[in-house]
PDB file of all heavy atoms in Angstrom:
ATOM      1  N   LYS H 925     -20.092 -43.028  13.685  1.00  0.00           N
ATOM      2  CA  LYS H 925     -18.634 -43.262  13.650  1.00  0.00           C
ATOM      3  C   LYS H 925     -17.869 -41.955  13.460  1.00  0.00           C
ATOM      4  O   LYS H 925     -16.919 -41.656  14.194  1.00  0.00           O
ATOM      5  CB  LYS H 925     -18.274 -44.216  12.499  1.00  0.00           C
ATOM      6  CG  LYS H 925     -19.027 -45.523  12.491  1.00  0.00           C
ATOM      7  CD  LYS H 925     -18.594 -46.413  11.362  1.00  0.00           C
ATOM      8  CE  LYS H 925     -18.949 -45.891   9.984  1.00  0.00           C
ATOM      9  NZ  LYS H 925     -20.402 -45.832   9.711  1.00  0.00           N
ATOM     10  N   SER H 926     -18.310 -41.174  12.464  1.00  0.00           N
ATOM     11  CA  SER H 926     -17.598 -39.924  12.209  1.00  0.00           C
ATOM     12  C   SER H 926     -17.747 -38.963  13.377  1.00  0.00           C
ATOM     13  O   SER H 926     -16.808 -38.244  13.739  1.00  0.00           O
ATOM     14  CB  SER H 926     -18.106 -39.271  10.921  1.00  0.00           C
ATOM     15  OG  SER H 926     -17.747 -40.079   9.817  1.00  0.00           O
ATOM     16  N   ASP H1047     -10.287 -41.756   9.072  1.00  0.00           N
ATOM     17  CA  ASP H1047     -11.702 -41.988   8.777  1.00  0.00           C
ATOM     18  C   ASP H1047     -11.807 -42.525   7.354  1.00  0.00           C
ATOM     19  O   ASP H1047     -11.646 -41.790   6.393  1.00  0.00           O
ATOM     20  CB  ASP H1047     -12.490 -40.679   8.936  1.00  0.00           C
ATOM     21  CG  ASP H1047     -13.998 -40.939   9.049  1.00  0.00           C
ATOM     22  OD1 ASP H1047     -14.437 -42.045   8.672  1.00  0.00           O
ATOM     23  OD2 ASP H1047     -14.713 -40.034   9.513  1.00  0.00           O
ATOM     24  N   GLU H1048     -12.071 -43.841   7.239  1.00  0.00           N
ATOM     25  CA  GLU H1048     -12.122 -44.530   5.948  1.00  0.00           C
ATOM     26  C   GLU H1048     -10.917 -44.205   5.067  1.00  0.00           C
ATOM     27  O   GLU H1048     -11.072 -43.694   3.951  1.00  0.00           O
ATOM     28  CB  GLU H1048     -13.431 -44.186   5.223  1.00  0.00           C
ATOM     29  CG  GLU H1048     -14.639 -44.566   6.066  1.00  0.00           C
ATOM     30  CD  GLU H1048     -15.930 -44.535   5.256  1.00  0.00           C
ATOM     31  OE1 GLU H1048     -15.900 -44.997   4.105  1.00  0.00           O
ATOM     32  OE2 GLU H1048     -16.954 -44.074   5.782  1.00  0.00           O
TER      33      GLU H1048
HETATM   34 MG1   MG T1849     -18.718 -40.995   8.420  1.00  0.00          MG
END
Side-chain angles (χ1 to χ4, degrees):
Chain H
K925 306 182 293 294
S926 293
D1047 197 342
E1048 302 193 42

